[in-house]
Amino acid sequence: MTFSQAWDAGFMAVLIFLGTVFAWLGLVEPVIGRGLLSTVLMTLVALGLGGAFVAHRKRRARKLLESVR
Amino acid sequence: MIRSALLGGVAAACLVTPALACEDADRVPLTWSTIAGFYTDAMADLVAGFEATHCAKVNIVNIDNSQLYNKQVIEMVGATGAYDIVTLETSEKADFAENGFILPMTDYLADKQELLNDVAPVLATMTTRYNGDIWGLPYYTYTAGFIYRADLFEDAGEKEAFKAKYGYDLAVPTDWQQHRDIAEFFTRKAGETLKGEPLAKDFYGVGLMAGPFPEIQDELSGPIWGAGADWLDDEGNVQTAAVEKALTDYIELLKFAPPAALTVTYDGVMNQMKDGQIAMTHGFFLDQWPNAATTEQSVPGARMGVAEAPGKKAYIGGFLLAVAESSAHPEEAMDFVAYIGGPEAQKKFAAAGGTTTLTSVLNDPELTAPENRAKTGHFGTLRQIFQSMDGFQSNLFNTPYGAKIYNTMQIPLQSAAAGQTTAAEAATRLTDEVAKICGGPCPIAKGE
Amino acid sequence: MAATYATAGAGRPAHAARGGGMSDRAFAWALIAPAMAIILVFALVPLGYAVMVSFRMADLTRGGLREFVGLDNYRTVLFDQSFWESIAVTLKFTVAAVGLEMILGIAIAFLLHGATHGKTIVRSILILPLATAPAVTGLFWRNLYDPQFGVINWLLGSLGLPEPNWLGDIDIALWSVVLFDVWQWTPFVALIALAGLSSLPREPFEAAELDGASTWRVLRVLTFPMLAPVLFLVLILRTIDSLRLYDAVAVLTRGGPGTVTETMTFYLFRTGLKLFRMDYASTMAIFFLYALLVASVFALRPLLKQFTERAQAQN
Amino acid sequence: MLQRPVHPAFSTLRYALILLVVLFAAFPIFWMILTSFKPPGDIMVSPPRLFFSPTLDNYVHAIVDKDFLRYVTNTLIVSVISTVFVVVLGSLAAYSFARYNTGDGHILFFILSTKMFPAIAVVLPYFLIFRDIGRTGIGQFLQIGLDKPGALIISYTMFNLPFAIWLLVSFFQDIPRELEDSARLDGLSRLKVLRKVVLPLAAPGIAVTAIFTLIFCWNEFLFAYILTRKTWSTVTVGVESFFTLQGILWGPVAAAATLAVLPMLLFVLAMQRWMVRGLTFGAVRG
């Protein structure tokens, strides 16, 4: 995975992380109420989604590498 | 003619004082931030008068009225020392004082009691006092009254038609119901007659300042205070019902105003008056009298009248001169404030058409002589207003959030006037906005 | 940004032949250093300041920067009705203004392209609206739009057409601002499109003409694809500027009547510089930046891909 | 493009439409210039007057009383210097992106994203930064404090670099690589190649970028309003001195606006030739 691909995946992951946080504040929190629990949950979900995206990008890059070789 | 005679007199007084031993090099630089284009020639005279008797050099920075507040706050917050003397609207005094942006002048003015007493008491409390201190001197009052086309009100034909339609005599309205009737009566399409002559273009009963400017709440203050209510009650909450009532009547009145009412402020109403399109104003700033009086030249047969606003209650206040906390020369700045707010400068200012805040100048026989009617015709009415509104106070001017409320009120009020929301929705929206600004009920510190 | 551009694994052909690859890379980075120095300092410092302020309570007229409040500012702004209303106004304005400007601009470009003489005079007149500052001419348009004293209504009146209250009527106030923006920026699009048109090589068109292709087919197959990069760049620039619209609204309508023409940046200005709630203003700015970043990750993908591929092809 | 013989009626329609476009673009400016010669009595009247006795009072008021020419010179100085900075720094950076794909598109994206942050949220930090710089020794020496030209020049350079770089990258990429390679083979250093071969070829494109950068600097309002007070206010801020308690003095505003348009117009007309060749950058490629 070249630096450029890593940077790209990282940037998109940050956008996804922030997107989940904002969505959570706007949509989920009015439902389940504020508090430490909801904040921790929110961070976990956001990190999870971001991490999943980076992993997806890593797999795709490796698959592309094999096909080229 | 009047100005030169007066200036001669004042100049003579200047020469009498010992020539000031002060080279230009060591003149103290003072910067005064004030409203753009405000009687610029009179300002030059006032500043020259001060520089003749004080070892200072005053640099005037002109700022557009709608930007004055935020530009001055930025410089105060940055403590840049850019402005030594600032010009504050009545609602901004508490805000600047509370944040320590301006210096109290209580001690400085302690030995100048006669100067303080010369300012009309109601104006003094409203513009200078906050939290037990005195924060400067007012030098220009925009107190509101009522300006109308006297020739229309005294026309026999119109009086007869009015009496037939409404059952009482056409005269200067003493309450807002009469004001509404007169507005309806004089609204006519092109082709109908006015004073017997056919109208070339539509004519409207009243000129309203319903544009996206803070002046819309100045107009609404008259009916609200007249009904014994206020924008904020003593606990600091918006009196929603009173606001809704005043807004409903205002929207009703808009039917008798030119369509441009929704885009203009005081200068637009004056243009309409000078172009012969409106019969009268709502509660309107009397300092615009010299501007309104020119209608007698631009509209044939027109004669302008001035009176107290219906219900003897209208927007009242003045521009306060205060000394910035970050000023490098507070002492000289306070001298400047005392000079500009003092009789000598105020007399010169009144002669140039400015509306003075000192009762002595308001009563000055020479100034208020009939031949100066074009410039000082409104002084008599001003004296009446200061009497009838004596002791009046509005909570809007006694809360540190006054400036911010004043800068947001126009949005919900104008939404209702423009028909975007109903009067009730606008009143509730205003209540929510004020609660958000103050973070709950607004703290009110009585003026004394 | 979008998909990765460097083809994975292929890497760049070594071009050590040209006096050491290392000095090429160093030269390339040295070239961008001065520009990046200014951009980094004067973009990241304010952004950092805004992010920091968005996590604290900050009212300039209530003690300035105060205590840490976590995500409260974000919650307040998310549930602020005026904020969402101003976003709706901004989107409505951008779609209308940019749409009209692109269509009219390209149409004018084609009109002028076919003209034989007088092109330079027309082109210099077209630059006139651009040469004037919105803060100055916008003020003058307020005079033109005046229902009583304005020229536009006088012209309409003399033709018997209705005389609208341009800036006072809640239904058409926003379109009056759009009309001003279209007046000012359509020439910008037209001039760039015209230049693009006149720079297209002749041969493909002559060939197409020989085998009798219809004008419409030539347009679809030849002209537009070749013009696409230039027009796309103009579209992106106009969209970003329209979303940040402030001058025209501040001068023409000040957000009025009511909040009908209150765009996002005007509401942000009112919050930041009239109420001095820098915390809410910074939070809104961050939301605005975030939305634009997400949109441009997709919107800029084709243009960036073209730039990087052409840069690599030539290495 | 298509040189097919065109039906005469069709071409008269074309010129009619062009006339309509020209009228739409020019009328407001024409009316503004007309108003700048109107005496006060003829301006705010209904119906608007086309015929009146012209007067130069408005220009006298703008130039003498309100010292408007100083605002025009301030704006000219700030705009021209900023444009020079933008073009120089922008061209270097754009060449690097166009030729060496520095940062593989990511830096280019970051540069454009700096334009996406609303100026209002940035203006207060800038105000505080320039206040502090202005208080330092170098700040005073380089005139970078508040109400000093340096503050505006840096802000305008910052705000126009992104647009300039993106525009210049497409111009540079239209210059065929072979010209550069042959020059390199003749032994020219990279910098010489850039200066001797690339820049002259891209000159028309650079001219276009310069014109639009100058226009954007000339029209800017918010930064000029916040970062300057009086000595260095620009045209867009100077217009404020025509707002009076009697309302807006439309005559002097029109005169000031006309004075503000002239330098820009002369500059653009002069650069017209470059603009045409610049925007037809493809000619080299054809």
Side-chain angles (χ1 to χ4, degrees):
Chain A
M1 200 178 183
T2 66
F3 172 76
S4 172
Q5 288 170 323
W7 174 276
D8 190 51
F11 181 75
M12 299 283 271
V14 166
L15 287 185
I16 290 168
F17 175 84
L18 289 175
T20 354
V21 167
F22 295 150
W24 187 282
L25 288 180
L27 308 171
V28 175
E29 224 169 43
V31 173
I32 66 167
R34 292 172 49 171
L36 190 61
L37 176 69
S38 109
T39 318
V40 166
L41 215 58
M42 171 178 76
T43 333
L44 285 179
V45 167
L47 284 175
L49 285 175
F53 180 82
V54 171
H56 157 70
R57 273 295 176 82
K58 266 207 174 70
R59 266 197 314 283
R60 200 177 71 171
R62 207 174 304 113
K63 231 193 292 93
L64 199 68
L65 214 58
E66 265 104 34
S67 63
V68 163
R69 234 184 250 112
Chain B
M1 51 42 199
I2 165 82
R3 269 191 62 212
S4 47
L6 253 170
L7 281 184
V10 167
C14 257
L15 292 183
V16 165
T17 49
L20 194 65
C22 170
E23 282 67 30
D24 276 352
D26 50 30
R27 275 184 178 275
V28 166
L30 289 175
T31 313
W32 174 21
S33 61
T34 186
I35 307 145
F38 148 80
Y39 288 103
T40 20
D41 44 11
M43 293 256 274
D45 288 348
L46 305 188
V47 163
F50 177 71
E51 284 170 348
T53 50
H54 295 75
C55 194
K57 179 78 192 75
V58 181
N59 163 27
I60 304 172
V61 175
N62 283 321
I63 304 168
D64 172 31
N65 194 10
S66 64
Q67 310 282 4
L68 189 60
Y69 171 64
N70 38 5
K71 183 74 173 150
Q72 284 181 152
V73 168
I74 285 180
E75 297 288 349
M76 295 302 127
V77 166
T80 55
Y83 302 143
D84 298 291
I85 305 109
V86 285
T87 307
L88 302 182
E89 173 116 6
T90 316
S91 57
E92 293 159 6
K93 158 204 68 180
D95 189 342
F96 274 64
E98 191 70 29
N99 280 288
F101 292 154
I102 49 178
L103 297 170
M105 284 179 69
T106 331
D107 316 330
Y108 177 88
L109 292 170
D111 59 356
K112 292 186 169 49
Q113 220 42 42
E114 82 292 345
L115 178 54
L116 272 172
N117 301 343
D118 195 4
V119 178
V122 63
L123 204 59
T125 341
M126 192 162 276
T127 53
T128 62
R129 286 198 184 77
Y130 176 70
N131 245 349
D133 269 313
I134 296 180
W135 296 91
L137 282 174
Y139 75 110
Y140 177 104
T141 177
Y142 42 73
T143 301
F146 174 68
I147 298 178
Y148 60 101
R149 284 274 301 277
D151 59 306
L152 295 180
F153 278 58
E154 281 136 20
D155 180 84
E158 299 296 347
K159 281 166 85 83
E160 207 183 296
F162 185 87
K163 180 116 168 113
K165 189 171 180 189
Y166 295 95
Y168 61 92
D169 286 336
L170 171 61
V172 172
T174 52
D175 63 38
W176 291 105
Q177 181 52 37
Q178 285 176 13
H179 179 265
R180 182 221 158 278
D181 293 348
I182 298 171
E184 181 182 41
F185 175 70
F186 277 117
T187 303
R188 298 176 189 169
K189 284 278 170 260
E192 293 174 56
T193 60
L194 181 69
K195 285 202 309 191
E197 287 108 17
L199 282 164
K201 48 181 187 274
D202 294 353
F203 190 79
Y204 297 92
V206 66
L208 292 176
M209 302 188 278
F213 301 92
E215 282 76 33
I216 187 171
Q217 60 252 31
D218 300 350
E219 273 192 335
L220 282 162
S221 298
I224 287 182
W225 293 341
D230 192 356
W231 291 100
L232 300 175
D233 59 25
D234 289 345
E235 287 75 39
N237 300 313
V238 171
Q239 298 197 323
T240 319
V243 170
E244 185 184 338
K245 168 78 174 66
L247 255 179
T248 319
D249 298 345
Y250 192 76
I251 293 166
E252 226 279 55
L253 208 56
L254 264 166
K255 292 207 292 290
F256 313 121
L262 287 168
T263 59
V264 294
T265 176
Y266 51 83
D267 57 312
V269 171
M270 281 297 103
N271 284 335
Q272 289 158 8
M273 182 69 87
K274 288 188 278 186
D275 193 54
Q277 288 177 24
I278 53 175
M280 61 179 180
T281 66
H282 193 271
F284 197 78
F285 310 123
L286 289 189
D287 65 289
Q288 287 292 318
W289 166 259
N291 199 7
T294 58
T295 313
E296 286 166 2
Q297 284 83 36
S298 57
V299 174
R303 202 166 53 74
M304 301 310 295
V306 59
E308 286 191 84
K312 290 189 182 301
K313 280 280 194 315
Y315 192 64
I316 184 165
F319 287 116
L320 173 74
L321 281 183
V323 173
E325 191 271 338
S326 53
S327 161
H329 314 287
E331 205 50 47
E332 292 77 5
M334 287 186 186
D335 295 343
F336 182 78
V337 168
Y339 175 83
I340 298 290
E344 183 193 338
Q346 285 292 312
K347 215 177 228 270
K348 252 196 263 185
F349 179 55
T355 305
T356 176
T357 52
L358 299 184
T359 23
S360 64
V361 179
L362 284 174
N363 294 317
D364 182 296
E366 200 184 316
L367 271 175
T368 48
E371 73 267 14
N372 301 334
R373 176 174 166 281
K375 281 219 163 62
T376 60
H378 56 304
F379 278 14
T381 315
L382 264 176
R383 286 198 303 272
Q384 285 164 3
I385 293 172
F386 287 148
Q387 250 99 38
S388 47
M389 283 186 84
D390 195 29
F392 173 80
Q393 282 213 42
S394 165
N395 290 331
L396 183 62
F397 304 138
N398 289 326
T399 167
Y401 302 111
K404 289 207 240 152
I405 297 171
Y406 187 75
N407 273 305
T408 358
M409 292 162 81
Q410 75 217 38
I411 309 291
L413 296 179
Q414 218 243 337
S415 303
Q420 188 188 6
T421 60
T422 66
E425 280 160 8
T428 5
R429 192 106 188 244
L430 174 65
T431 313
D432 302 341
E433 297 261 347
V434 167
K436 192 172 135 196
I437 290 171
C438 297
C442 300
I444 309 278
K446 275 293 168 214
E448 294 76 26
Chain C
M1 297 341 338
T4 50
Y5 313 109
T7 45
R12 268 194 293 270
H15 40 68
R18 249 192 300 285
M22 186 44 212
S23 65
D24 250 5
R25 269 178 63 75
F27 177 64
W29 285 92
L31 276 176
I32 67 167
M36 287 314 289
I38 290 191
I39 291 178
L40 278 174
V41 169
F42 283 93
L44 293 185
V45 167
L47 181 63
Y49 181 83
V51 168
M52 183 269 292
V53 167
S54 73
F55 286 106
R56 306 163 74 99
M57 188 274 181
D59 179 343
L60 293 186
T61 53
R62 230 171 30 196
L65 216 51
R66 298 244 303 270
E67 73 284 6
F68 182 81
V69 287
L71 292 172
D72 282 355
N73 290 332
Y74 289 86
R75 291 189 184 92
T76 327
V77 168
L78 271 176
F79 295 105
D80 177 2
Q81 192 187 356
S82 324
F83 175 61
W84 292 105
E85 276 167 14
S86 69
I87 286 185
V89 167
T90 312
L91 291 178
K92 242 190 291 182
F93 173 84
T94 304
V95 168
V98 176
L100 271 172
E101 279 154 25
M102 291 303 286
I103 296 163
L104 288 177
I106 295 167
I108 293 171
F110 276 110
L111 257 178
L112 282 174
H113 189 59
T116 43
H117 39 74
K119 219 186 262 189
T120 33
I121 313 156
V122 171
R123 184 182 282 123
S124 45
I125 292 176
L126 278 186
I127 205 84
L128 255 174
L130 260 176
T132 56
V136 178
T137 26
L139 188 65
F140 198 75
W141 269 70
R142 201 158 97 192
N143 183 310
L144 297 178
Y145 272 147
D146 191 300
Q148 256 108 10
F149 305 105
V151 176
I152 299 178
N153 276 6
W154 176 62
L155 290 176
L156 294 178
S158 45
L159 301 174
L161 297 166
E163 297 182 26
N165 182 359
W166 294 95
L167 300 174
D169 184 335
I170 47 173
D171 306 323
I172 56 168
L174 187 60
W175 309 123
S176 308
V177 180
V178 166
L179 179 63
F180 170 70
D181 198 71
V182 164
W183 169 75
Q184 176 138 51
W185 287 101
T186 306
F188 173 81
V189 175
L191 289 173
I192 294 205
L194 180 64
L197 262 177
S198 47
S199 73
L200 297 182
R202 298 281 174 283
E203 301 77 16
F205 292 93
E206 276 142 13
E209 199 181 308
L210 285 180
D211 52 44
S214 72
T215 359
W216 174 244
R217 228 171 70 73
V218 167
L219 278 178
R220 199 162 40 75
V221 170
L222 271 176
T223 326
F224 276 116
M226 294 170 90
L227 269 182
V230 176
L231 294 182
F232 201 77
L233 181 61
V234 168
L235 176 68
I236 301 276
L237 294 174
R238 280 311 305 144
T239 310
I240 291 180
D241 279 348
S242 298
L243 288 169
R244 294 180 345 151
L245 178 78
Y246 169 72
D247 291 8
V249 169
V251 159
L252 278 174
T253 60
R254 296 162 56 87
T259 52
V260 163
T261 59
E262 183 162 66
T263 58
M264 224 293 276
T265 30
F266 191 80
Y267 180 62
L268 209 148
F269 173 83
R270 190 154 67 78
T271 312
L273 287 178
K274 281 270 194 228
L275 300 178
F276 287 100
R277 290 305 299 260
M278 284 315 291
D279 42 11
Y280 295 152
S282 305
T283 315
M284 281 185 237
I286 288 168
F287 272 127
F288 184 87
L289 175 66
Y290 176 76
L292 232 57
L293 277 180
V294 169
S296 55
V297 158
F298 300 105
L300 291 179
R301 181 193 299 251
L303 206 54
L304 271 172
K305 187 187 272 292
Q306 192 215 347
F307 280 159
T308 44
E309 269 156 12
R310 283 174 71 178
Q312 270 152 13
Q314 291 165 347
N315 274 11
Chain D
M1 203 182 74
L2 293 178
Q3 298 315 338
R4 269 189 287 184
V6 170
H7 187 278
F10 187 69
S11 83
T12 43
L13 173 67
R14 177 194 301 275
Y15 282 104
L17 285 176
I18 289 177
L19 187 67
L20 199 66
V21 165
V22 165
L23 265 179
F24 176 68
F27 177 74
I29 305 282
F30 159 74
W31 190 257
M32 187 168 76
I33 294 171
L34 195 73
T35 310
S36 70
F37 294 103
K38 277 187 181 173
D42 293 327
I43 296 176
M44 283 304 258
V45 277
S46 59
R49 294 207 178 105
L50 206 55
F51 305 101
F52 53 89
S53 55
T55 157
L56 283 176
D57 295 349
N58 296 327
Y59 285 91
V60 167
H61 180 89
I63 293 171
V64 175
D65 297 357
K66 294 290 165 45
D67 192 10
F68 199 77
L69 284 186
R70 186 165 54 78
Y71 297 132
V72 176
T73 30
N74 286 352
T75 319
L76 214 57
I77 296 169
V78 167
S79 301
V80 168
I81 297 179
S82 306
T83 306
V84 166
F85 272 124
V86 165
V87 165
V88 168
L89 300 181
S91 311
L92 295 180
Y95 179 67
S96 166
F97 292 126
R99 195 60 79 232
Y100 299 95
N101 187 26
T102 327
D104 196 18
H106 301 306
I107 300 181
L108 257 178
F109 180 86
F110 166 72
I111 286 177
L112 197 63
S113 65
T114 59
K115 253 178 98 78
M116 298 173 194
F117 198 61
I120 289 102
V122 160
V123 86
L124 197 64
Y126 272 44
F127 179 78
L128 300 175
I129 292 172
F130 285 120
R131 177 199 62 183
D132 297 340
I133 294 180
R135 287 185 176 147
T136 60
I138 351 140
Q140 262 122 23
F141 174 69
L142 293 173
Q143 294 259 343
I144 302 184
L146 287 173
D147 207 12
K148 290 280 187 300
L152 277 189
I153 288 172
I154 294 179
S155 312
Y156 286 178
T157 309
M158 165 63 203
F159 258 78
N160 285 300
L161 260 177
F163 163 75
I165 289 177
W166 275 66
L167 204 58
L168 286 167
V169 166
S170 56
F171 287 140
F172 281 125
Q173 286 192 334
D174 285 317
I175 296 173
R177 182 69 197 231
E178 298 71 28
L179 298 170
E180 271 179 69
D181 294 346
S182 59
R184 282 307 299 269
L185 292 177
D186 303 345
L188 273 82
S189 78
R190 262 187 296 270
L191 263 182
K192 270 216 180 51
V193 165
L194 177 58
R195 207 156 41 79
K196 286 274 184 298
V197 173
V198 176
L199 288 185
L201 279 174
I206 291 172
V208 168
T209 314
I211 291 172
F212 285 128
T213 305
L214 191 78
I215 288 177
F216 292 144
C217 294
W218 193 268
N219 295 350
E220 205 282 329
F221 169 69
L222 191 66
F223 278 83
Y225 161 61
I226 297 283
L227 296 179
T228 65
R229 274 182 219 110
K230 189 170 183 192
T231 38
W232 274 94
S233 330
T234 63
V235 161
T236 48
V237 178
V239 164
E240 249 177 26
S241 47
F242 299 112
F243 296 0
T244 72
L245 277 172
Q246 277 71 38
I248 297 171
L249 305 174
W250 290 109
V253 162
T258 315
L259 286 173
V261 165
L262 288 184
M264 276 306 298
L265 201 60
L266 297 180
F267 176 75
V268 165
L269 289 180
M271 299 291 271
Q272 187 75 256
R273 200 166 42 77
W274 289 93
M275 256 181 84
V276 171
R277 276 189 52 226
L279 288 169
T280 55
F281 39 71
V284 174
R285 181 185 55 200

